[in-house]
Amino acid sequence: MVKISRSTVSSQIKSILTSLPKKNVKSITTELNDVYKVYGNEAREIALRRLLEDIEPADWKSFKNAQPNSKLALLSQLLTEFSSRPRFNRHFSRALFSSNVPADFIPTLVKQQKLQVHQVLQLALGLISIPEKNLQEEGGKLLRNRLSDMVDWGDRDKFHPTLVQDISTFIQTYSSFSDQTRSSYSKNLANLFPHVLSSSSLNRAFDALSSRGFKCTVSVQSVKESLAPLGKLSESEIVS
């Protein structure tokens, strides 16, 4: 991908979005896709942020009534498309950070677009990662509902390893879960994705580091990938 300043990409995307009233959603999407091909995921995040900034509070009502204006129709299309991409939840949370999205928007989108489980989980994880309490609660609700029917998740090939790891982190840190629920969900998730969540010694190593006062700022999966060339390591070797 081409490395260029965010301001340059943002200006280019703003120019495209400004023409939305004159052009249809399909034409705008085609132009944005050309930008994504050059600048990658950062451009997708910027497109979402700029679009969210342009949507007025009164516009959200049209979406709930299933009569979205062009901006909301484009937003719906972008979210539906992006939510199938790896690591989208992280870009989504940053795009949402200073927006005025109502709490019921994502649940309404999920129903209207009939999103698949992995897409819903991406959106939900994005919601719980921002400061707005109402959006956090909606994200938590969506996640809890999908975790309860985990065995029916269907096509697991669509679950990127980072998404599985983020779901695992949510299960381990969500304060409303009882120990029994947390243990049950963790076990079910590990059974569904053993190729992702098979690093028990690595998890124990992270716990050992935490108990010594170290703050782990990377995921187990990323460390697992980095250590893969070294072969199977013991907990003490990982900590070292």
Side-chain angles (χ1 to χ4, degrees), residues 41 44-45 48 78-95 106 118-119 121-126 160 162-163 166:
N41 283 331
R44 292 182 175 89
E45 180 184 325
L48 281 177
L78 294 184
L79 288 174
T80 300
E81 175 194 345
F82 294 170
S83 58
S84 288
R85 300 188 64 83
R87 301 180 180 86
F88 167 72
N89 58 295
R90 303 173 189 188
H91 295 285
F92 181 45
S93 63
R94 290 194 291 267
I106 295 301
H118 70 286
Q119 294 175 293
L121 292 168
Q122 290 263 37
L123 294 169
L125 286 165
H160 190 272
T162 57
L163 173 58
D166 287 344

Side-chain angles (χ1 to χ4, degrees), residues 136-161:
Q136 282 185 0
E137 290 176 351
E138 286 298 334
K141 189 185 303 182
L142 283 171
L143 280 162
R144 292 196 307 272
N145 290 341
R146 291 312 184 277
L147 288 173
S148 65
D149 59 4
M150 196 184 300
V151 293
D152 299 320
W153 275 3
D155 190 354
R156 295 164 200 166
D157 290 339
K158 294 181 179 179
F159 286 72
H160 190 272

Side-chain angles (χ1 to χ4, degrees), residues 45 49 52 88-103 105-106 122-140 143:
E45 180 184 325
R49 185 190 296 269
L52 287 165
F88 167 72
N89 58 295
R90 303 173 189 188
H91 295 285
F92 181 45
S93 63
R94 290 194 291 267
L96 276 175
F97 196 80
S98 58
S99 70
N100 62 354
V101 177
F105 170 66
I106 295 301
Q122 290 263 37
L123 294 169
L125 286 165
L127 291 178
I128 66 170
S129 301
I130 64 173
E132 173 56 46
K133 185 177 180 180
N134 289 337
L135 292 177
Q136 282 185 0
E137 290 176 351
E138 286 298 334
L143 280 162

Side-chain angles (χ1 to χ4, degrees), residues 57-75:
D59 293 335
W60 297 107
K61 294 180 180 179
S62 70
F63 185 85
K64 193 171 183 180
N65 295 331
Q67 296 177 325
N69 60 25
S70 56
K71 291 179 182 178
L72 284 167
L74 178 60
L75 178 62

